[in-house]
Amino acid sequence: MTETMANTGRASDVIVVGGGIIGLLTARELAISGAAVTLIEMGATGQESSWAGGGIVSPLYPWRDPEPITALARWSRTAYPRLAEALIDETGLDPEYTASGMLVLDREEQPAAHAWAARHGEPIETLAAARLHELEPQLGSELTDALRLPEIAQIRTPRLAKAVRRSVEPRIRLREHEEVMDLEITSGRVTGVRTRSGTVAASAVVICAGAWTARLLAQLGQPPEITPVRGQMILFHGKPGQITHITLYQDRYLIPRRDGRLLFGSTIEHSGFVKATTAEVREALYRAAFAMFPVLKQTPIEEHWSGLRPSSPSGIPYIGAHPEATGLFINAGHFRNGLVTGPASARLAADLLLQRPPILDPTPYALQAQR
């Protein structure tokens, strides 16, 4: 077990279980609000789906998502520029928030996309072929239809997780490489958690354990339906400025980083907790990538990895109090939108725990509402 502590000597008000981006942001929000927080992570912070994700600050096809996800995503999108600046000021680490804009090359998506944009006041434009290839000269010549969402941004997920971790280190107790085995519940109230090292006491517990959340809550019966879904990605070692827009086509996306690296993904695989990569998927992603941008056929693949996303039946995360134990809260089940909705999810969870006016109507995210 590794523990750091630099906030106060008093006992924790809140234990946050899980050190992915959702857990880190929740711990940060609670600590900034004055709570004494202990974060417990079974591995190292930010090393599971938070590290593996692409970092688009938008759902892939936002018009396909239910309204509760849109609400979280829109709130988070306005928060990210301020969060990135705050993290740079606090830590000196730049999470590389970049307003790349997003191209959507699926012609059949255009009617739904324009209707969604009109409802929500989102800027969107349809590009003619000449303008599309002017913006992205490396795009395959047969791709001639596109939507452009100019305000969609990206953030570099490993750097974001590292920056948030450094931000919270002086504010919280951080216990890594320590697995929570059980919840401590007395007379219907949570009193802490039990790890292999012993009992850790607190007056409230927030479960932010991603794909592992259902396992932790099984002792209460009827745990939330959160299951792991594997996603595999590849990383090309490109050149800066070679491709400039996030580009989405046939459920695959390419994300250009500032240093020229190009992320391409990702898959949706129901493989349980198996996180291994496969040669078949690597080849399929490679072929899809150079079909979109032929220049990638001559661009070396630098890495190939996978992560386990926490899927919920409707894609809507569970955020709020657990109905079976006072003081127990959940912030999990974000599927592909953990980073997209992270700031809003953390703020909403903190609002509910601290009993202050919530930023959004919490009803759609409640565990009992989704059963």
Side-chain angles (χ1 to χ4, degrees):
M1 180 192 74
T2 303
E3 178 174 351
T4 63
M5 165 59 181
N7 61 332
T8 70
R10 62 193 175 104
S12 291
D13 299 324
V14 186
I15 293 170
V16 174
V17 180
I21 198 61
I22 295 295
L24 286 167
L25 288 174
T26 300
R28 184 177 186 272
E29 184 68 44
L30 288 165
I32 287 173
S33 299
V37 179
T38 296
L39 187 151
I40 304 177
E41 162 58 40
M42 65 179 178
T45 60
Q47 294 300 302
E48 290 293 338
S49 60
S50 301
W51 180 90
I56 304 172
V57 186
S58 169
L60 292 184
Y61 296 89
W63 42 90
R64 295 181 183 176
D65 285 327
E67 194 60 33
I69 293 177
T70 298
L72 290 170
R74 284 168 60 83
W75 197 96
S76 293
R77 204 175 78 193
T78 63
Y80 260 118
R82 298 191 304 273
L83 175 62
E85 287 299 322
L87 291 173
I88 292 170
D89 291 344
E90 292 172 20
T91 71
L93 297 174
D94 184 359
E96 294 192 7
Y97 176 87
T98 306
S100 309
M102 184 167 73
L103 300 175
V104 181
L105 306 179
D106 308 85
R107 180 183 298 180
E108 66 276 11
E109 298 289 339
Q110 293 185 13
H114 280 290
W116 170 85
R119 283 196 311 275
H120 294 286
E122 294 282 349
I124 193 170
E125 59 181 322
T126 302
L127 301 178
R131 177 61 175 154
L132 172 61
H133 287 273
E134 179 185 348
L135 288 172
E136 291 296 349
Q138 302 295 344
L139 197 66
S141 58
E142 71 281 4
L143 297 168
T144 57
D145 288 82
L147 295 170
R148 180 171 179 258
L149 287 78
E151 294 186 357
I152 300 302
Q154 58 162 292
I155 202 158
R156 200 155 182 170
T157 46
R159 298 188 181 197
L160 175 66
K162 186 180 291 186
V164 180
R165 179 211 160 97
R166 187 172 294 182
S167 169
V168 301
E169 279 179 344
R171 296 180 164 116
I172 71 170
R173 291 184 177 91
L174 179 58
R175 299 169 69 135
E176 295 182 285
H177 306 289
E178 184 174 6
E179 185 175 0
V180 171
M181 309 305 295
D182 286 299
L183 303 171
E184 294 288 316
I185 298 173
T186 303
S187 301
R189 172 176 287 277
V190 71
T191 58
V193 301
R194 183 175 62 81
T195 75
R196 295 189 187 279
S197 301
T199 299
V200 185
S203 56
V205 174
V206 189
I207 306 297
C208 303
W212 288 265
T213 294
R215 287 184 175 183
L216 279 174
L217 294 173
Q219 74 185 84
L220 293 171
Q222 289 191 298
E225 296 180 62
I226 298 174
T227 55
V229 178
R230 183 170 66 187
Q232 298 188 49
M233 299 182 71
I234 53 177
L235 178 70
F236 292 92
H237 194 100
K239 300 175 182 177
Q242 188 175 34
I243 298 167
T244 58
H245 285 78
I246 300 163
T247 307
L248 179 59
Y249 183 51
Q250 295 180 347
D251 295 309
R252 298 281 190 260
Y253 56 81
L254 181 136
I255 307 171
R257 299 300 197 203
R258 291 181 188 175
D259 62 6
R261 287 178 168 83
L262 302 159
L263 278 74
F264 191 84
S266 66
T267 58
I268 295 178
E269 303 171 68
H270 297 274
S271 56
F273 285 91
V274 176
K275 205 171 72 170
T277 58
T278 65
E280 294 82 2
V281 167
R282 176 188 168 107
E283 180 65 17
L285 289 174
Y286 174 62
R287 290 183 178 278
F290 74 70
M292 191 186 295
F293 288 98
V295 68
L296 296 179
K297 199 166 187 177
Q298 288 80 47
T299 305
I301 294 177
E302 185 173 336
E303 287 189 64
H304 172 207
W305 68 80
S306 69
L308 299 178
R309 311 180 193 93
S311 174
S312 56
S314 64
I316 300 172
Y318 300 94
I319 306 172
H322 195 289
E324 302 300 325
T326 302
L328 179 62
F329 293 80
I330 306 171
N331 188 4
H334 296 75
F335 192 31
R336 303 181 90 165
N337 292 317
L339 182 130
V340 177
T341 64
S345 298
R347 175 62 181 273
L348 180 58
D351 287 345
L352 296 172
L353 190 153
L354 298 172
Q355 298 183 345
R356 61 193 185 192
I359 55 164
L360 299 169
D361 176 9
T363 306
Y365 314 102
L367 177 60
Q368 51 269 50
Q370 296 188 54
R371 280 181 172 162

